[in-house]
Amino acid sequence: IIHQFLAFEVSTKMIQHQNFTHDNLHRGCGIRQKEGDGMAGRSKAEFNEKGELINKEALVKAEKAKLTRSYAKMDAKRKKNAESLISSAAFMAVSLLELEEIINRKGYTEEYKNGANQSGVKKCSEVEVYNNMAKNYLSYMKQLDDMLLKDKGKQEEGDELMKFLTGGSGN
């Protein structure tokens, strides 16, 4: 049990270290729960009694539109390749919000019983799903950022060449 909690703590610290906060995850996602909770957006996240999102499809669509706008400056070839990453990242961002709500309602641990003599407390299965999805989300966002940076680097190189060819200072 202690090992599982330590693994969760390490995952949490890793996510915080990589600037993966609740606010960063949902900034501009079209999600808002309460005033002052740090989340901006146009529509409101609606949860059922289990903590599951009722309007998940609309939130995924809003997040996909936000990400598409954020990565609009990619060249056409990279943009085509990025479409599936953007769709998956949008789904994961909203799913992470949903998992957070479920975890907040259920807690981080759950009791288990295997047979007559073996029982105890273990990390909630939603926590494990959340940790794995958060890592995948970070990976997808890094890939998208890398694609955008490669295009930006090519643009800057082209700008320097144009300055040189037109008689400007090319450094």
Side-chain angles (χ1 to χ4, degrees), residues 50-52 98-107 126:
K50 294 180 182 178
E52 298 164 339
E98 182 177 48
L99 285 166
E100 287 173 9
E101 182 66 22
I102 293 169
I103 292 166
N104 285 334
R105 290 178 186 215
K106 288 178 68 177
E126 286 85 358

Side-chain angles (χ1 to χ4, degrees), residues 82-171:
E83 286 176 6
S84 65
L85 287 174
I86 288 171
S87 293
S88 295
F91 173 79
M92 285 187 275
V94 175
S95 295
L96 287 167
L97 174 67
E98 182 177 48
L99 285 166
E100 287 173 9
E101 182 66 22
I102 293 169
I103 292 166
N104 285 334
R105 290 178 186 215
K106 288 178 68 177
Y108 295 98
T109 60
E110 58 190 6
E111 292 184 18
Y112 71 92
K113 185 167 183 155
N114 294 342
N117 298 328
Q118 191 177 24
S119 64
V121 177
K122 67 175 187 162
K123 181 172 39 173
C124 184
S125 58
E126 286 85 358
V127 171
E128 292 181 33
V129 172
Y130 181 91
N131 286 339
N132 289 331
M133 191 175 293
K135 289 175 189 174
N136 289 337
Y137 176 79
L138 288 173
S139 172
Y140 279 44
M141 295 307 293
K142 181 171 180 1
Q143 288 178 50
L144 287 166
D145 287 345
D146 289 348
M147 292 170 84
L148 188 61
L149 289 174
K150 286 179 183 176
D151 282 347
K152 187 175 183 177
K154 286 181 180 177
Q155 179 64 37
E156 288 172 0
E157 289 173 13
D159 291 345
E160 291 295 318
L161 179 60
M162 285 306 292
K163 280 183 189 178
F164 177 76
L165 293 174
T166 59
S169 63
N171 289 351

Side-chain angles (χ1 to χ4, degrees), residues 22-23 25-47 53 55 58-59 62-63 94 97 101:
H22 189 284
D23 187 45
L25 174 64
H26 305 297
R27 187 179 305 131
C29 180
I31 302 169
R32 178 180 30 205
Q33 288 179 319
K34 297 180 273 190
E35 276 302 312
D37 72 350
M39 291 178 24
R42 295 179 300 270
S43 64
K44 189 173 184 173
E46 300 171 17
F47 299 95
L53 279 167
N55 58 339
L59 296 173
E63 178 67 5
V94 175
L97 174 67
E101 182 66 22

Side-chain angles (χ1 to χ4, degrees), residues 4-15:
Q4 291 172 340
F5 285 117
L6 290 176
F8 175 72
E9 275 296 313
V10 169
S11 297
T12 304
K13 295 296 181 196
M14 182 193 77
I15 290 167

